[in-house]
């Protein structure tokens, strides 16, 4: 595996799924529709979990669609080469996915009524998830050591650049009524309450029984067993299935099994420095 990337407006992208032309189209020409919902995340924040939740909400708890259609076809990454051709088969209201930072997101979004659900996660857990994922995904830098990879993450030297900049960029929208943010930790803590909040945000009314079905079919266990959602059908040029699985652990706090005390303290120091201007408190800051 090699680490091959190019820069688009200063952001690192993998040439496997992106090109300057595709990103330029995504930023400047892509037509956002007023009833679109975008899931926006930094990688490993719980993107696919949110796709599953929104797919099930769209289907009012019926898992047939999730059990028969690949997850990335249900909610394509609108800024990728593959995604741009997959979108034409997506029914409205479209749920589309993106890892783009704020400053290069679709310009037409900002004059539309479309909505964004931004999923965040404790960055220490993101890092651990990314560390393992990078060993199996062919487009990412293969981590040589935990220590070096951690430094790359903290300095924003990986694909999509810095987690800190991603969050700070998108948090500029946090007071807009078409922007909703939620954390992976909240989803873990009370998925049912989160599904209700998400339904309210997108204006979808589901009765209690249907909410229960959404919760049931978007559990870690259900997704891990669903071959349409667990990435076991991803091709070998994308994921090396001999090295690990996409649905890895699905827990909060796994960083405690990986970080030394010194690494955690160093992470906290960089975190405090980079996040000091944001004036927001996230509950992982206390853990
Ligand atoms: P871990 O590697 O910590 O297990 P993304 O979709 O943004 O790439 O995020 C992937 C992470 O979300 C992985 O974390 C994966 O296991 C976790 N995940 C996916 N579906 C989940 C679910 N239903 N419940 C909990 N975690 C889930």
């Amino acid at each position: 595996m090699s680490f091959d990337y190019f820069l688009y407006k200063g952001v690192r992208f993998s040439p496997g799924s992106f090109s300057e032309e595709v990103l330029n189209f995504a930023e400047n020409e892509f037509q956002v529709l007023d009833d679109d919902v975008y899931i926006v995340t930094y990688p490993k924040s719980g993107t696919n979990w949110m796709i599953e939740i929104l797919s099930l909400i769209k289907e009012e708890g019926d898992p047939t669609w999730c059990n028969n259609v690949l997850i990335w076809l249900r909610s394509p990454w609108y800024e990728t080469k593959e995604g741009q051709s997959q979108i034409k088969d997506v029914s409205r209201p479209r749920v589309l996915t993106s890892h783009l930072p704020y400053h290069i997101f679709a310009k037409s979004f900002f004059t539309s009524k479309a909505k964004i659900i931004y999923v965040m996660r404790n960055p220490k857990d993101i890092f651990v998830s990314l560390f393992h994922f990078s060993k199996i995904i062919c487009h990412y830098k293969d981590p040589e050591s935990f220590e070096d990879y951690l430094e790359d993450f903290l300095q924003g030297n990986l694909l999509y650049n810095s987690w800190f900049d991603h969050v700070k960029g998108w948090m500029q929208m946090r007071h807009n009524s078409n922007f909703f943010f939620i954390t992976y930790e909240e989803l873990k803590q009370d998925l049912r309450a989160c599904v209700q909040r998400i339904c309210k945000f997108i204006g979808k009314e589901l009765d209690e029984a249907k909410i229960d079905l959404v919760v049931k079919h978007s559990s870690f266990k259900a997704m891990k067993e669903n071959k349409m959602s667990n990435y076991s059908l991803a091709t070998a040029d994308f994921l090396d299935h001999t090295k690990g699985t996409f649905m890895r652990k699905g827990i909060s706090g796994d960083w405690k099994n990986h970080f030394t005390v010194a690494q955690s303290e160093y992470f906290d120091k960089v975190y405090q420095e980079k996040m000091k201007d944001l004036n927001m408190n996230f509950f992982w800051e206390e853990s």
Side-chain angles (χ1 to χ4, degrees):
M1 284 186 215
S2 62
F3 182 49
D4 195 10
Y5 71 84
F6 68 95
L7 294 175
Y8 178 79
K9 301 205 171 166
V11 184
R12 288 168 180 75
F13 288 97
S14 151
S17 304
F18 301 90
S19 69
E20 180 154 0
E21 190 190 354
V22 165
L23 286 161
N24 187 47
F25 176 84
E27 183 186 2
N28 297 303
E29 287 168 56
F30 181 76
Q31 279 311 304
V32 167
L33 306 175
D34 280 337
D35 57 350
D36 284 348
V37 177
Y38 291 82
I39 298 166
V40 181
T41 62
Y42 188 84
K44 313 320 290 174
S45 302
T47 325
N48 287 277
W49 193 3
M50 189 53 71
I51 296 177
E52 200 79 350
I53 293 167
L54 287 174
S55 300
L56 287 159
I57 291 176
K58 193 168 170 177
E59 295 296 295
E60 307 199 339
D62 181 346
T64 311
W65 192 42
C66 292
N67 292 339
N68 288 285
V69 178
L70 287 161
I71 191 161
W72 57 87
L73 298 179
R74 284 186 255 126
S75 178
W77 265 255
Y78 96 92
E79 72 269 26
T80 64
K81 291 176 196 166
E82 300 84 3
Q84 287 181 359
S85 58
Q86 290 156 353
I87 285 174
K88 59 181 185 332
D89 298 322
V90 176
S91 69
R92 289 175 69 175
R94 307 184 301 186
V95 175
L96 301 176
T97 308
S98 177
H99 286 324
L100 287 183
Y102 175 78
H103 71 286
I104 52 173
F105 196 71
K107 283 205 167 62
S108 63
F109 171 79
F110 297 96
T111 51
S112 77
K113 296 190 177 109
K115 295 180 175 173
I116 284 182
I117 296 178
Y118 187 78
V119 187
M120 278 185 283
R121 186 181 189 185
N122 182 339
K124 288 180 181 168
D125 280 335
I126 289 184
F127 174 71
V128 169
S129 183
L130 189 63
F131 176 74
H132 290 286
F133 186 59
S134 300
K135 295 179 191 168
I136 63 169
I137 185 168
C138 307
H139 296 165
Y140 282 34
K141 180 179 180 178
D142 206 4
E144 278 149 30
S145 78
F146 190 84
E147 189 84 24
D148 292 349
Y149 207 60
L150 182 61
E151 190 59 23
D152 281 339
F153 179 82
L154 291 172
Q155 299 313 324
N157 291 339
L158 301 176
L159 294 174
Y160 304 99
N161 290 15
S162 155
W163 175 84
F164 304 100
D165 292 343
H166 205 280
V167 168
K168 285 191 284 185
W170 280 107
M171 283 304 109
Q172 293 174 67
M173 285 204 65
R174 68 185 185 273
H175 301 301
N176 292 37
S177 60
N178 63 342
F179 185 84
F180 175 89
F181 71 90
I182 192 159
T183 61
Y184 180 96
E185 291 74 17
E186 289 171 288
L187 294 167
K188 285 294 299 181
Q189 214 164 47
D190 192 346
L191 182 55
R192 195 170 199 287
C194 290
V195 170
Q196 285 171 319
R197 285 169 59 205
I198 294 163
C199 284
K200 191 162 176 240
F201 173 68
I202 61 173
K204 179 92 178 171
E205 276 185 36
L206 292 186
D207 63 29
E208 298 294 311
K210 286 176 178 166
I211 299 238
D212 286 341
L213 287 172
V214 174
V215 171
K216 177 177 170 202
H217 296 297
S218 61
S219 71
F220 185 77
K221 186 172 179 290
M223 283 183 69
K224 196 173 169 71
E225 285 169 1
N226 181 357
K227 65 182 187 310
M228 294 295 155
S229 307
N230 65 14
Y231 278 78
S232 59
L233 297 177
T235 52
D237 61 347
F238 179 66
L239 282 190
D240 183 345
H241 299 288
T242 63
K243 295 193 170 162
T245 51
F246 179 86
M247 298 292 295
R248 196 182 60 89
K249 279 196 182 170
I251 59 169
S252 301
D254 195 30
W255 66 269
K256 291 175 188 160
N257 300 317
H258 289 76
F259 281 59
T260 63
V261 172
Q263 283 166 342
S264 176
E265 284 173 1
Y266 175 57
F267 195 112
D268 292 343
K269 200 169 144 244
V270 176
Y271 182 100
Q272 275 150 22
E273 177 57 30
K274 295 206 190 270
M275 299 297 268
K276 68 175 187 285
D277 304 329
L278 187 60
N279 290 323
M280 282 181 82
N281 292 317
F282 300 109
F283 63 79
W284 53 74
E285 291 169 18
E286 284 128 43
S287 62

Short mmCIF file of all heavy atoms in Angstrom, two decimals, residues 8-36:
data_model
loop_
_atom_site.label_atom_id
_atom_site.label_comp_id
_atom_site.label_asym_id
_atom_site.label_seq_id
_atom_site.Cartn_x
_atom_site.Cartn_y
_atom_site.Cartn_z
N TYR A 8 -6.28 19.58 -3.20
CA TYR A 8 -7.30 20.43 -3.80
C TYR A 8 -7.56 21.54 -2.79
O TYR A 8 -8.00 21.27 -1.67
CB TYR A 8 -8.59 19.65 -4.09
CG TYR A 8 -9.70 20.51 -4.66
CD1 TYR A 8 -9.71 20.86 -6.01
CD2 TYR A 8 -10.71 21.01 -3.85
CE1 TYR A 8 -10.71 21.67 -6.54
CE2 TYR A 8 -11.72 21.82 -4.37
CZ TYR A 8 -11.71 22.15 -5.71
OH TYR A 8 -12.69 22.96 -6.24
N LYS A 9 -7.25 22.77 -3.18
CA LYS A 9 -7.37 23.92 -2.27
C LYS A 9 -6.75 23.62 -0.91
O LYS A 9 -7.34 23.89 0.15
CB LYS A 9 -8.82 24.36 -2.15
CG LYS A 9 -9.38 24.75 -3.52
CD LYS A 9 -10.52 25.70 -3.43
CE LYS A 9 -10.87 26.20 -4.84
NZ LYS A 9 -12.13 26.86 -4.93
N GLY A 10 -5.59 22.98 -0.95
CA GLY A 10 -4.83 22.73 0.27
C GLY A 10 -5.23 21.48 1.04
O GLY A 10 -4.62 21.15 2.05
N VAL A 11 -6.26 20.77 0.58
CA VAL A 11 -6.74 19.57 1.30
C VAL A 11 -6.26 18.31 0.57
O VAL A 11 -6.32 18.24 -0.65
CB VAL A 11 -8.29 19.57 1.40
CG1 VAL A 11 -8.77 18.38 2.23
CG2 VAL A 11 -8.80 20.88 1.99
N ARG A 12 -5.80 17.33 1.36
CA ARG A 12 -5.27 16.08 0.79
C ARG A 12 -6.40 15.13 0.38
O ARG A 12 -7.27 14.82 1.20
CB ARG A 12 -4.40 15.35 1.82
CG ARG A 12 -3.08 16.00 2.09
CD ARG A 12 -2.44 15.36 3.32
NE ARG A 12 -1.15 15.96 3.62
CZ ARG A 12 -1.02 17.16 4.17
NH1 ARG A 12 -2.06 17.88 4.49
NH2 ARG A 12 0.19 17.65 4.40
N PHE A 13 -6.35 14.66 -0.86
CA PHE A 13 -7.33 13.69 -1.36
C PHE A 13 -6.61 12.54 -2.04
O PHE A 13 -5.54 12.72 -2.62
CB PHE A 13 -8.27 14.35 -2.39
CG PHE A 13 -9.25 15.30 -1.78
CD1 PHE A 13 -8.99 16.66 -1.75
CD2 PHE A 13 -10.42 14.82 -1.21
CE1 PHE A 13 -9.89 17.54 -1.17
CE2 PHE A 13 -11.33 15.70 -0.63
CZ PHE A 13 -11.06 17.06 -0.61
N SER A 14 -7.27 11.38 -2.00
CA SER A 14 -6.70 10.21 -2.66
C SER A 14 -7.09 10.22 -4.14
O SER A 14 -8.27 10.37 -4.48
CB SER A 14 -7.28 8.97 -1.99
OG SER A 14 -7.34 7.92 -2.89
N PRO A 15 -6.12 10.03 -5.04
CA PRO A 15 -6.46 10.03 -6.47
C PRO A 15 -7.34 8.85 -6.88
O PRO A 15 -7.97 8.87 -7.93
CB PRO A 15 -5.10 9.96 -7.18
CG PRO A 15 -4.09 9.75 -6.14
CD PRO A 15 -4.71 9.85 -4.78
N GLY A 16 -7.44 7.81 -6.02
CA GLY A 16 -8.28 6.66 -6.34
C GLY A 16 -9.74 7.06 -6.53
O GLY A 16 -10.39 6.62 -7.48
N SER A 17 -10.26 7.90 -5.66
CA SER A 17 -11.69 8.24 -5.72
C SER A 17 -11.96 9.68 -6.12
O SER A 17 -13.12 10.06 -6.29
CB SER A 17 -12.33 8.03 -4.35
OG SER A 17 -12.12 6.73 -3.91
N PHE A 18 -10.91 10.49 -6.20
CA PHE A 18 -11.12 11.92 -6.45
C PHE A 18 -10.24 12.40 -7.59
O PHE A 18 -9.25 11.76 -7.93
CB PHE A 18 -10.74 12.74 -5.20
CG PHE A 18 -11.52 12.38 -3.97
CD1 PHE A 18 -11.08 11.39 -3.11
CD2 PHE A 18 -12.70 13.03 -3.67
CE1 PHE A 18 -11.80 11.05 -1.98
CE2 PHE A 18 -13.43 12.71 -2.54
CZ PHE A 18 -12.98 11.71 -1.69
N SER A 19 -10.62 13.54 -8.15
CA SER A 19 -9.73 14.24 -9.08
C SER A 19 -10.03 15.71 -8.90
O SER A 19 -11.08 16.07 -8.33
CB SER A 19 -10.01 13.81 -10.53
OG SER A 19 -11.28 14.32 -10.91
N GLU A 20 -9.16 16.54 -9.39
CA GLU A 20 -9.39 17.98 -9.28
C GLU A 20 -10.69 18.36 -9.98
O GLU A 20 -11.48 19.16 -9.47
CB GLU A 20 -8.20 18.73 -9.89
CG GLU A 20 -8.41 20.20 -9.80
CD GLU A 20 -7.12 21.00 -9.79
OE1 GLU A 20 -6.04 20.39 -9.88
OE2 GLU A 20 -7.25 22.22 -9.72
N GLU A 21 -10.92 17.73 -11.11
CA GLU A 21 -12.12 18.04 -11.90
C GLU A 21 -13.40 17.68 -11.12
O GLU A 21 -14.36 18.45 -11.08
CB GLU A 21 -12.03 17.21 -13.19
CG GLU A 21 -13.04 17.57 -14.23
CD GLU A 21 -13.03 16.52 -15.35
OE1 GLU A 21 -12.17 15.62 -15.34
OE2 GLU A 21 -13.91 16.63 -16.21
N VAL A 22 -13.39 16.49 -10.50
CA VAL A 22 -14.57 16.04 -9.76
C VAL A 22 -14.82 16.93 -8.54
O VAL A 22 -15.95 17.32 -8.25
CB VAL A 22 -14.38 14.55 -9.35
CG1 VAL A 22 -15.38 14.13 -8.31
CG2 VAL A 22 -14.50 13.66 -10.57
N LEU A 23 -13.74 17.30 -7.86
CA LEU A 23 -13.89 18.16 -6.68
C LEU A 23 -14.34 19.56 -7.07
O LEU A 23 -15.14 20.20 -6.37
CB LEU A 23 -12.57 18.21 -5.90
CG LEU A 23 -12.28 16.92 -5.13
CD1 LEU A 23 -10.81 16.82 -4.75
CD2 LEU A 23 -13.17 16.82 -3.88
N ASN A 24 -13.84 20.02 -8.19
CA ASN A 24 -14.25 21.33 -8.69
C ASN A 24 -15.74 21.33 -9.03
O ASN A 24 -16.48 22.25 -8.70
CB ASN A 24 -13.40 21.69 -9.91
CG ASN A 24 -13.67 23.10 -10.35
OD1 ASN A 24 -13.70 24.03 -9.54
ND2 ASN A 24 -13.93 23.28 -11.64
N PHE A 25 -16.18 20.23 -9.66
CA PHE A 25 -17.61 20.09 -9.97
C PHE A 25 -18.42 20.06 -8.67
O PHE A 25 -19.43 20.74 -8.53
CB PHE A 25 -17.84 18.80 -10.79
CG PHE A 25 -19.28 18.54 -11.07
CD1 PHE A 25 -19.92 19.14 -12.15
CD2 PHE A 25 -20.04 17.72 -10.23
CE1 PHE A 25 -21.28 18.92 -12.40
CE2 PHE A 25 -21.39 17.49 -10.46
CZ PHE A 25 -22.01 18.09 -11.54
N ALA A 26 -17.93 19.25 -7.71
CA ALA A 26 -18.64 19.11 -6.43
C ALA A 26 -18.77 20.45 -5.72
O ALA A 26 -19.79 20.75 -5.10
CB ALA A 26 -17.92 18.11 -5.54
N GLU A 27 -17.74 21.24 -5.81
CA GLU A 27 -17.77 22.53 -5.11
C GLU A 27 -18.58 23.59 -5.87
O GLU A 27 -19.40 24.29 -5.27
CB GLU A 27 -16.34 23.05 -4.90
CG GLU A 27 -16.32 24.36 -4.12
CD GLU A 27 -14.94 25.00 -4.01
OE1 GLU A 27 -13.96 24.46 -4.58
OE2 GLU A 27 -14.85 26.05 -3.37
N ASN A 28 -18.36 23.67 -7.16
CA ASN A 28 -18.88 24.82 -7.89
C ASN A 28 -20.10 24.58 -8.77
O ASN A 28 -20.81 25.52 -9.09
CB ASN A 28 -17.76 25.42 -8.75
CG ASN A 28 -16.64 25.93 -7.88
OD1 ASN A 28 -16.86 26.78 -7.01
ND2 ASN A 28 -15.45 25.38 -8.07
N GLU A 29 -20.32 23.33 -9.17
CA GLU A 29 -21.42 23.11 -10.12
C GLU A 29 -22.52 22.19 -9.61
O GLU A 29 -23.63 22.21 -10.12
CB GLU A 29 -20.86 22.54 -11.43
CG GLU A 29 -20.11 23.61 -12.23
CD GLU A 29 -19.32 22.98 -13.35
OE1 GLU A 29 -19.93 22.28 -14.16
OE2 GLU A 29 -18.09 23.20 -13.37
N PHE A 30 -22.19 21.36 -8.63
CA PHE A 30 -23.16 20.39 -8.14
C PHE A 30 -24.41 21.11 -7.64
O PHE A 30 -24.31 22.08 -6.89
CB PHE A 30 -22.54 19.55 -7.03
CG PHE A 30 -23.49 18.51 -6.49
CD1 PHE A 30 -23.75 17.36 -7.20
CD2 PHE A 30 -24.13 18.71 -5.27
CE1 PHE A 30 -24.64 16.41 -6.72
CE2 PHE A 30 -25.02 17.76 -4.78
CZ PHE A 30 -25.27 16.62 -5.50
N GLN A 31 -25.58 20.63 -8.08
CA GLN A 31 -26.84 21.28 -7.69
C GLN A 31 -27.47 20.60 -6.48
O GLN A 31 -28.01 19.50 -6.59
CB GLN A 31 -27.82 21.27 -8.86
CG GLN A 31 -27.57 22.37 -9.89
CD GLN A 31 -27.39 23.75 -9.26
OE1 GLN A 31 -28.26 24.22 -8.53
NE2 GLN A 31 -26.25 24.40 -9.52
N VAL A 32 -27.38 21.26 -5.36
CA VAL A 32 -28.04 20.79 -4.14
C VAL A 32 -29.54 21.03 -4.30
O VAL A 32 -29.94 22.08 -4.82
CB VAL A 32 -27.46 21.56 -2.93
CG1 VAL A 32 -28.31 21.37 -1.69
CG2 VAL A 32 -26.02 21.13 -2.68
N LEU A 33 -30.36 20.07 -3.88
CA LEU A 33 -31.82 20.25 -3.94
C LEU A 33 -32.33 20.62 -2.54
O LEU A 33 -31.76 20.18 -1.53
CB LEU A 33 -32.50 18.97 -4.42
CG LEU A 33 -31.99 18.40 -5.75
CD1 LEU A 33 -32.66 17.07 -6.08
CD2 LEU A 33 -32.24 19.41 -6.89
N ASP A 34 -33.40 21.38 -2.50
CA ASP A 34 -33.89 21.88 -1.21
C ASP A 34 -34.26 20.78 -0.23
O ASP A 34 -34.20 20.97 0.99
CB ASP A 34 -35.10 22.81 -1.42
CG ASP A 34 -34.67 24.21 -1.83
OD1 ASP A 34 -33.51 24.57 -1.54
OD2 ASP A 34 -35.48 24.91 -2.45
N ASP A 35 -34.67 19.62 -0.75
CA ASP A 35 -35.06 18.55 0.18
C ASP A 35 -33.91 17.56 0.46
O ASP A 35 -34.11 16.54 1.10
CB ASP A 35 -36.31 17.80 -0.32
CG ASP A 35 -36.14 17.22 -1.72
OD1 ASP A 35 -35.13 17.54 -2.39
OD2 ASP A 35 -37.01 16.45 -2.15
N ASP A 36 -32.70 17.87 0.01
CA ASP A 36 -31.55 17.00 0.30
C ASP A 36 -31.18 17.03 1.79
O ASP A 36 -31.33 18.06 2.46
CB ASP A 36 -30.28 17.50 -0.42
CG ASP A 36 -30.27 17.19 -1.91
OD1 ASP A 36 -31.11 16.41 -2.37
OD2 ASP A 36 -29.37 17.74 -2.60
#
